[in-house]
Structures are given as structure tokens and as C-alpha cells.
């Protein structure tokens, strides 16, 4: 399973990367903002997305675009889960999180990802 990490704090991104690799995920990239996430989205199956990046609370917009465009399963990663705009009921992990909690959420998101053969080739759209 291929994972995109969307996190603007390098230290946190590296911890997630280590945890995911140990759990058998392949890392397709680390994005620090919305445009980077959308550029890398087509290569992943699952994304873990910080809700509040340096460009604001863009996590929900990124999640919707990655799911609609590429069928990615999504996990929100946040300090304050109450900030999540999460009508889709996506998995959310509160920082700091145990490695087990991160892996459990990623595994749940992987089950919600569209099979690669069903994915839209036109790319993401915003809602």
C-alpha cells in the first residue's frame, strides 16, 4: 500500500514515515502544502493529512480532492480533532499518537480507498 504524507512539520512527517515503513507501507512522498499534495496524489493509495497546514485549515479540502480525483483513503492528523470538517467520517488521529494508532487508522483508510482500476484519470476536483 502506497502512502502520501501531507504534513508541514518535517519532524512529524519523518516519524509518520518511519512508523508507516515499519508497518509495510511504501512512501510515495511528503507534501507540505495543498499543491504538493495534489501533485503527488496520483501515486498513492492512502494519505495521512495534517488538518492545519501552513496555508491554513486545508486538510479537508485536500482530502476531498484526493478522494474525488484519485480515490485515496484518507486519515486526518490533527492537534484538535474538533477542528475537523469531517462529514465523510474519515479516520482521525490526534497528535501525538502512538505508532499503533497511526497504523490502525492507515489500515482503515486503505479499506476505504477505491481500487486503482476505478480511479478517475482526470485528477482532483475541489468541492
Amino acid at each position: 500500500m502506497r502512502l502520501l504524507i501531507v504534513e508541514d512539520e518535517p519532524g512529524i512527517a519523518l516519524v509518520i514515515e518511519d512508523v508507516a515503513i515499519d508497518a509495510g507501507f511504501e512512501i510515495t512522498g511528503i507534501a507540505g502544502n495543498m499543491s504538493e499534495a495534489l501533485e503527488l496524489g496520483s501515486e498513492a493509495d492512502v494519505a495521512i493529512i495534517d488538518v492545519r497546514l501552513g496555508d491554513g485549515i486545508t486538510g479537508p479540502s485536500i482530502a476531498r480532492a484526493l478522494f474525488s480525483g484519485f480515490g485515496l483513503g484518507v486519515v486526518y492528523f490533527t492537534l484538535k480533532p474538533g477542528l475537523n470538517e469531517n462529514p465523510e467520517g474519515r479516520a482521525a488521529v490526534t497528535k501525538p499518537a502512538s505508532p499503533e494508532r497511526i497504523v490502525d487508522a492507515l489500515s482503515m483508510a486503505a479499506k476505504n480507498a477505491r481500487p486503482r482500476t476505478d480511479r478517475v484519470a482526470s485528477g482532483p476536483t475541489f468541492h
Side-chain angles (χ1 to χ4, degrees):
M1 190 65 45
R2 297 174 304 172
L3 174 66
L4 170 61
I5 300 168
V6 183
E7 171 63 62
D8 60 348
E9 294 184 42
I12 293 173
L14 292 175
V15 169
I16 295 169
E17 181 179 43
D18 288 344
V19 167
I21 288 171
D22 287 348
F25 285 85
E26 175 187 340
I27 308 305
T28 61
I30 298 174
N33 59 48
M34 182 180 276
S35 65
E36 290 174 2
L38 298 179
E39 285 178 29
L40 297 169
S42 66
E43 300 300 317
D45 300 302
V46 178
I48 186 166
I49 302 171
D50 185 3
V51 171
R52 184 185 297 266
L53 296 169
D55 52 0
I57 301 176
T58 56
S61 296
I62 294 168
R64 285 189 298 274
L66 291 176
F67 181 77
S68 70
F70 307 115
L72 271 61
V74 172
V75 174
Y76 288 128
F77 200 54
T78 182
L79 281 170
K80 299 178 182 178
L83 290 176
N84 283 354
E85 175 191 321
N86 192 9
E88 298 88 3
R90 293 186 169 101
V93 177
T94 304
K95 299 176 190 179
S98 70
E100 295 80 15
R101 176 66 185 116
I102 294 170
V103 171
D104 287 348
L106 291 173
S107 297
M108 181 189 320
K111 292 177 187 174
N112 294 326
R114 284 197 308 256
R116 293 198 70 74
T117 56
D118 294 344
R119 296 196 182 171
V120 177
S122 62
T125 57
F126 293 95
H127 301 278

